[in-house]
């Protein structure tokens, strides 16, 4: 809906669509979705005091992707000798930083905070029943 609104607004006001602005809008939405993906999982792990139910290897792979993305961004800036490019692609910078942060939180939860918890407590039978 935001994308359609942006395209319509740009078309009405300017008579054309600013493609780079549209891409920045998509990047902002992606950052919001990423935060919306990680925060509930971190809170769920905290409330259950357990990380049972998900594979830690996916978190390690995700962390690897975030680190490599950040290395690529820094490497591009270093090879060009222009460090303004580090903030020239805010979506890539924010996604890599958010990913690294939350993946480290998940690894700390899995290996240190809740390492001795093999399972989480089951809900009482009354809470598990579906209403008719």
């Amino acid at each position: 809906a935001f994308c359609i609104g942006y395209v319509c607004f740009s078309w009405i006001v300017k008579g054309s669509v600013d493609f780079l602005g549209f891409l920045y809008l998509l990047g902002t939405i992606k950052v919001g979705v990423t935060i919306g993906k990680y925060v509930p999982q971190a809170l769920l792990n905290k409330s259950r005091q357990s990380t049972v139910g998900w594979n830690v290897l996916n978190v390690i792979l995700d962390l690897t992707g975030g680190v490599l993305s950040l290395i690529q961004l820094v490497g591009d800036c270093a090879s060009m000798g222009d460090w303004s490019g580090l903030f020239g692609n805010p979506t890539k910078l924010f996604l890599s930083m958010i990913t690294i942060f939350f993946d480290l939180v998940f690894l700390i939860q899995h290996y240190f905070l809740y390492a001795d918890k093999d399972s989480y407590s089951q809900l009482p039978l009354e809470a598990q029943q579906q209403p008719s």
Side-chain angles (χ1 to χ4, degrees):
F2 291 115
C3 296
I4 294 171
Y6 178 81
V7 169
C8 291
F9 180 76
S10 294
W11 191 268
I12 291 169
V13 172
K14 297 180 195 175
S16 66
V17 176
D18 179 22
F19 188 65
L20 184 60
F22 181 69
L23 291 178
Y24 278 129
L25 175 67
L26 289 177
T28 303
I29 292 170
K30 185 172 181 177
V31 169
V33 168
T34 300
I35 292 171
K37 172 180 78 167
Y38 287 131
V39 170
Q41 184 65 54
L43 294 176
L44 181 66
N45 291 348
K46 183 181 182 303
S47 69
R48 293 184 336 166
Q49 300 289 304
S50 174
T51 58
V52 172
W54 54 269
N55 191 347
V56 73
L57 292 177
N58 291 335
V59 174
I60 293 170
L61 289 173
D62 198 35
L63 177 64
T64 303
V67 168
L68 290 176
S69 180
L70 188 60
I71 288 172
Q72 181 187 25
L73 193 58
V74 169
D76 286 345
C77 292
S79 69
M80 292 185 184
D82 181 18
W83 292 97
S84 65
L86 191 62
F87 298 103
N89 191 349
T91 300
K92 187 170 189 166
L93 178 65
F94 290 147
L95 281 176
S96 62
M97 298 301 282
I98 291 167
T99 299
I100 291 168
F101 173 76
F102 276 103
D103 286 340
L104 289 175
V105 167
F106 293 145
L107 289 174
I108 289 169
Q109 285 179 332
H110 186 75
Y111 286 113
F112 297 107
L113 297 178
Y114 315 130
D116 57 343
K117 310 264 179 143
D118 289 333
S119 64
Y120 56 93
S121 60
Q122 290 286 341
L123 292 174
L125 187 57
E126 297 83 34
Q128 291 180 6
Q129 294 177 347
Q130 298 291 330
S132 298

